[in-house]
Amino acid sequence: MLARWRRLGTYGELPTLFTDYRLLADNPRSTVTPGPRYRDRPGEEPVARVIGIHNLALRAGVTEEMFDRFIAENHHRIDDYPDWRFHVLKGERGNRLDQYVMMMEIASLDALDVFYPEPDIATGEAAEFAAVHRDTKQMYEEWKQLASFSGSPQIYTDYLAVAENPA
């Protein structure tokens, strides 16, 4: 299987881009249910989650230690949109060594579209959520003093899960 995959993809071509990440923080209170990111069983609706990988950059003069400490001390203040779950990751190996990403795990494309039906265009539901969750909004404003935040102009991609090794 791997030999066939290598012929079809760019896996064996240089340069190979990869990063192994270490989890710094996530939201255990999220409403995203545990389970597969993709599942297709006869007689059931397919499960296809969205995985957003949003690259972050530290601001000038901000050290990794400062940002790591801020995340460790403040990530509990984040409340996610319904059916969303954030993860803050730091590169351990590879091309983005010591760089950060915010990974969003979103239950479905429909759950993404409730708040962002178009790239970087928030809905009224997103504004209402922010108004109710003021401490989360304040924490994000504090974050932006230390590092970039997800969304434009940062480099990011939201991926729709299309396959997963069955459990």
Side-chain angles (χ1 to χ4, degrees):
M1 176 79 130
L2 283 176
R4 183 170 179 237
W5 179 53
R6 287 178 177 150
R7 283 193 313 272
L8 297 174
T10 59
Y11 179 79
E13 310 246 341
L14 295 177
T16 298
L17 300 177
F18 78 95
T19 303
D20 295 330
Y21 290 98
R22 174 172 40 101
L23 180 67
L24 294 182
D26 73 346
N27 183 1
R29 298 181 316 273
S30 167
T31 61
V32 174
T33 57
R37 294 190 174 101
Y38 182 80
R39 184 184 70 221
D40 190 11
R41 293 183 181 156
E44 295 180 13
E45 280 291 314
V47 173
R49 294 192 180 175
V50 176
I51 305 296
I53 306 292
H54 297 233
N55 295 297
L56 306 175
L58 300 182
R59 302 233 179 259
V62 175
T63 66
E64 293 172 38
E65 293 78 18
M66 292 167 65
F67 187 67
D68 291 356
R69 185 173 49 251
F70 175 79
I71 293 299
E73 293 173 357
N74 290 283
H75 74 274
H76 68 278
R77 296 168 59 193
I78 298 175
D79 285 308
D80 290 313
Y81 296 131
D83 291 327
W84 289 47
R85 184 173 186 169
F86 84 90
H87 309 265
V88 179
L89 308 168
K90 184 177 182 179
E92 281 287 311
R93 297 183 184 118
N95 305 89
R96 291 191 42 83
L97 179 64
D98 295 327
Q99 300 296 307
Y100 298 88
V101 296
M102 183 176 214
M103 181 181 95
M104 266 77 72
E105 183 174 2
I106 306 168
S108 66
L109 195 53
D110 288 341
L112 170 63
D113 288 347
V114 167
F115 300 99
Y116 290 91
E118 296 179 52
D120 301 310
I121 306 295
T123 62
E125 285 89 344
E128 289 174 23
F129 188 90
V132 171
H133 297 89
R134 298 174 78 79
D135 192 44
T136 295
K137 184 169 176 41
Q138 178 60 39
M139 188 273 193
Y140 287 154
E141 293 305 316
E142 295 166 17
W143 171 323
K144 291 175 190 175
Q145 300 305 305
L146 300 171
S148 61
F149 196 66
S150 65
S152 290
Q154 301 308 309
I155 296 172
Y156 75 94
T157 302
D158 293 333
Y159 298 91
L160 185 62
V162 295
E164 182 167 295
N165 190 13

